[in-house]
Amino acid sequence: MAAAETSGTVAAPGRWSLHGKMALVTGGTRGIGRAVVEELAALGAAVHTCSRNEAELGERLKEWEARGFRVTISVCDLSARDQRERLIGDVADRFGGKLDILVNNVGTNIRKPTTEYSADEYSFLMATNLESAYHLCQLGHPLLKASGSGSIVFISSVAGIVALFSGTIYAMTKGAMNQLTKNLACEWAKDNIRTNCVAPGYILTSLSEGILANKEFEGSVKSRTPLRRVGEPAEISSLVAFLCMPGSTYITGQTIAVDGGMTVNGLYPS
């Protein structure tokens, strides 16, 4: 791996900055993805992001430009292989064949009993949540290697660690993502690419707002959480940013749960 950017006990300039870094964040218009785009951009990175929703991308871009962020966009359905290939081609062109940071954030869920999933639903969830991240890592490897110090961060879920009754297919994709993190960390260390995974619990996003609207369910989540509240997207993006910084150059292969202490305290499953 690349040498740590330190000098004795004094932090080197830029150790806690992302100035000059180039990042791809998938699904950056809402929730955690949006928070990550804004966190990385605020720390000085040039960020490219994508979404299937062209209108929403345009709205976010206006907001980011007004804040002085360096963000570019692509309309892309990451469940489609050819669109993933086109996305990485765009990124390579924009960033001169290099990429410092890849944040695999895109994910969705269909909550229902295992016996009720159709074959199409299975294929859709696997393609969106897992296959897209795996393929983007494959496609992005040459760019990350060319940077000299690449960082991949997967946005997983505590559903890949413990049983949350959030749907078995969703849990499968997140569990596989956690294991992929370990394997890539070992396989690509020689290329100076670090790979880590952030596994949120219940966070206030469009993916969770439906179930959290059930006040009884929300209350049960809070009662099992030492911090007694649901998390905010910015509380995830701050950790993602740290894992991309020069200050984290000796951290790789880790899956870090960010869930208010639920899994650490053994409070799942109910």
Side-chain angles (χ1 to χ4, degrees), residues 32-129:
I32 292 172
R34 178 179 178 179
V36 170
V37 168
E38 294 176 359
E39 189 95 39
L40 300 188
L43 288 164
V47 183
H48 190 80
T49 192
C50 61
S51 169
R52 290 178 296 180
N53 190 323
E54 184 174 4
E56 198 168 71
L57 267 174
E59 291 173 7
R60 293 292 90 78
L61 184 60
K62 290 178 183 177
E63 296 170 6
W64 293 327
E65 289 176 341
R67 296 173 66 179
F69 293 158
R70 291 187 298 156
V71 180
T72 53
I73 59 173
S74 290
V75 178
C76 179
D77 180 354
L78 287 176
S79 66
R81 186 177 185 89
D82 63 332
Q83 294 196 40
R84 295 193 294 264
E85 293 170 344
R86 187 162 59 248
L87 172 66
I88 292 298
D90 290 344
V91 168
D93 291 341
R94 290 180 184 275
F95 293 153
K98 296 181 181 180
L99 184 65
D100 300 295
I101 298 163
L102 169 60
V103 181
N104 284 298
N105 167 72
V106 162
T108 191
N109 195 11
I110 301 170
R111 293 179 175 86
K112 59 171 58 178
T114 298
T115 54
E116 296 181 11
Y117 283 108
S118 68
D120 286 344
E121 288 170 334
Y122 177 90
S123 297
F124 171 70
L125 288 173
M126 293 297 288
T128 302
N129 293 7

Side-chain angles (χ1 to χ4, degrees), residues 1 15-18 21 36 39-40 43 100-103 149-156 181 192-200 235-258:
M1 295 299 294
R15 184 167 167 78
W16 307 111
S17 169
L18 292 174
K21 300 294 185 180
V36 170
E39 189 95 39
L40 300 188
L43 288 164
D100 300 295
I101 298 163
L102 169 60
V103 181
S149 183
S151 178
I152 299 171
V153 181
F154 295 101
I155 305 299
S156 177
T181 298
N192 292 325
I193 299 172
R194 295 182 299 112
T195 307
N196 291 291
C197 186
V198 176
E235 294 176 303
I236 306 302
S237 63
S238 57
L239 176 57
V240 173
F242 167 68
L243 292 171
C244 299
M245 288 180 175
S248 66
T249 48
Y250 203 55
I251 301 174
T252 194
Q254 303 303 305
T255 294
I256 304 171
V258 188

